Amino acid sequence: MARRPLPRILSSGTMSLARGRDLARTAADSATDVLHPLLVIGRGLRILAAAGRRRWSQTPKDKRGPALFLGAACVLVVALVPYGPLLALITLMAAAAWHGRDRTPAKTGPSDAETERLGSLYEALVPYFSIPEDPSPLFAHGGDWDKAFSGYEFDEAGRITRLHIRYPAYFTDGEATSRARIESLLHAKSGRGREYLFDWDEEGNQLDLRVLAALPTGIAAQPFVTSPGETVLGFTDAGGVQRTLPVLEGDEPRDVPPVIWRTGPRSAEPHLLAVGQPGSGTSTLLRSVALQALRQGGDVLIVDGGGSGEYSCLSGRVGVLAVECGPTGAQATLEWAAQETERRLIATHRAREVGRPAPEDTRRPLWILLDQPSVLAHLAVAEGGPDPLAQLQVPLRHGRPAHVTVVVAEQFGHLELLNDAVWQHTRARVVLGPAAVQQVADVLGLPPHTTPTAQVPPGRGYTRLGTGPVHRLQVPATPDPYDEAAHPAYRQAVLELLPERQPGPHRLLSAKSLRAPAALDAQPEVAAEAP
């Protein structure tokens, strides 16, 4: 015999009950908010009534009659005075509201656990901030930590999130090693796994420790609102830069502070070097830079030394001149880039000699992106061929006036294979992924201003543009759109930014493209006018 289905009222009873409880709870909260003044006055009247009963019970029996007569006389006087009852009612309501207010005591100091944590941190700093010759030491064993710690904040777990420290004037805060010891100690005692910002005030002998919030990792590649020649490397802390960009994090609009890298003839940092571990996000950074360069109307050359095929999505697109993965193709591509740089320089020079503007084709930005070029250099040397990196000297040395920008991404283990020209002319530096403080300082020239963490998301690191400060950096999510392991929303965002495919086959090393500089000497006027 087939089972009959349950009635609808029984099958949906649990859902209806849950919905009813939610509606009742919402109605109760709304009623509490609306009736809050009445509740306060009612609580005050109850307190006044309890106080009156207590006072009447404490009054001796022989004095209750006169007291009752005095109260009745006062009521009679109030009733006879004009507006007396109204004023009495207002006074009673005011007294009830005053006595019925919320009297929850505010927290004025640290709890016992927080006091113990501050005391242990104070005792740990005593050997570093005290000397035997000090007659009145600020840090001493068994001393008072209130004099040294003028401000502190804790999170829900009881860990320190902000601490303001006063230290003696004789502490050697100008030495990097002394400051590093203090930062390491505070990092260990305050809790590992978080990023701390140490703000040293040498003039006032004060140190401010602050826990930094995590940078947003949900911002995908998208059309950024920038000027020509500006490239968004990623996003940083609000206090590090004086500019914000409107972006979409998922479907929600936000204003986030970006790290803007400016290129072109007037740039002080015309070329970029990105260093990281495998999987740290250097390829993501190169894809993000390539998409922004193509959107601004530039030409892009890509040399993929790793041969992973992560740039195959750009192959055959409008504006992408070549995507090379082998040593032979990389040698030919970089040789063409060197000759193109020389051609642009000569054409610009000839045009200025005759008093004309530079040709349009010399002002079109040319981007040369190299991912792990040391692998191709090793293969070329093993096969007995020339080193492809030797062809980078011309674009690196003379690329800025020719509108040629070079971006090199390499791993920490292969940095010694890069030639001196790369280290000398890449003044914009990026370090991604987990790295030691000394490794970051070797690449950027300065140690990071925060404590690095062991677990970092892809695309997270530090950057420094020229002689500027070191910024925290989070590269926008720009995965390979053909990688099925990547987030579908991020893959779709990259696909929407890709240019259209070229209608026919496109060859970079054509006779027209490889015009020799000698041809420009024969026809100087034509070279100056030709687009």
Side-chain angles (χ1 to χ4, degrees), residues 324 326-333 383:
E324 297 292 344
T328 304
Q331 176 68 24
T333 300
E383 294 177 359

Side-chain angles (χ1 to χ4, degrees), residues 142-160:
D144 190 5
W145 55 264
D146 289 340
K147 299 179 181 179
F149 301 156
S150 57
Y152 44 84
E153 295 179 6
F154 293 86
D155 58 6
E156 294 79 4
R159 296 191 301 176
I160 294 176

Side-chain angles (χ1 to χ4, degrees), residues 8-253:
R8 182 177 180 85
I9 188 172
L10 295 179
S11 61
S12 60
T14 303
M15 184 180 300
S16 300
L17 291 176
R19 188 182 298 109
R21 285 195 297 267
D22 294 340
L23 292 176
R25 189 180 297 107
T26 303
D29 295 339
S30 301
T32 302
D33 295 338
V34 173
L35 301 178
H36 180 70
L38 297 179
L39 296 176
V40 172
I41 293 175
R43 184 166 56 249
L45 291 175
R46 187 172 63 254
I47 294 175
L48 292 177
R53 286 195 303 268
R54 186 170 55 255
R55 185 65 178 271
W56 179 261
S57 61
Q58 294 176 358
T59 304
K61 294 183 178 181
D62 56 341
K63 295 183 179 180
R64 290 183 179 180
L68 186 61
F69 177 77
L70 181 60
C74 292
V75 171
L76 181 61
V77 172
V78 170
L80 296 177
V81 173
Y83 304 104
L86 180 60
L87 294 177
L89 181 61
I90 294 175
T91 304
L92 179 62
M93 294 297 103
W98 174 259
H99 286 84
R101 70 187 187 281
D102 188 9
R103 300 185 179 185
T104 303
K107 183 179 179 181
T108 57
S111 61
D112 296 339
E114 295 172 353
T115 301
E116 183 179 357
R117 183 179 289 269
L118 290 174
S120 63
L121 186 59
Y122 174 84
E123 293 291 336
L125 291 173
V126 169
Y128 301 92
F129 285 151
S130 63
I131 58 176
E133 294 82 6
D134 191 354
S136 57
L138 182 62
F139 285 82
H141 291 292
D144 190 5
W145 55 264
D146 289 340
K147 299 179 181 179
F149 301 156
S150 57
Y152 44 84
E153 295 179 6
F154 293 86
D155 58 6
E156 294 79 4
R159 296 191 301 176
I160 294 176
T161 58
R162 187 155 192 172
L163 183 65
H164 191 77
I165 304 174
R166 293 176 55 246
Y167 57 87
Y170 51 75
F171 176 72
T172 57
D173 52 3
E175 300 179 1
T177 55
S178 301
R179 297 168 60 163
R181 287 196 299 267
I182 299 299
E183 294 176 1
S184 177
L185 175 64
L186 293 175
H187 183 202
K189 293 295 183 180
S190 301
R192 299 187 183 274
R194 301 183 296 176
E195 289 189 86
Y196 295 89
L197 173 64
F198 299 96
D199 187 9
W200 291 84
D201 182 11
E202 295 89 348
E203 185 177 0
N205 300 320
Q206 297 179 358
L207 170 61
D208 189 55
L209 177 148
R210 181 161 52 93
V211 176
L212 296 176
L215 296 177
T217 59
I219 302 177
Q222 54 191 282
F224 299 114
V225 183
T226 55
S227 302
E230 293 183 345
T231 303
V232 178
L233 297 180
F235 306 98
T236 184
D237 300 303
V241 294
Q242 300 178 354
R243 178 178 176 180
T244 59
L245 279 183
V247 299
L248 288 177
E249 185 175 2
D251 295 333
E252 298 182 359

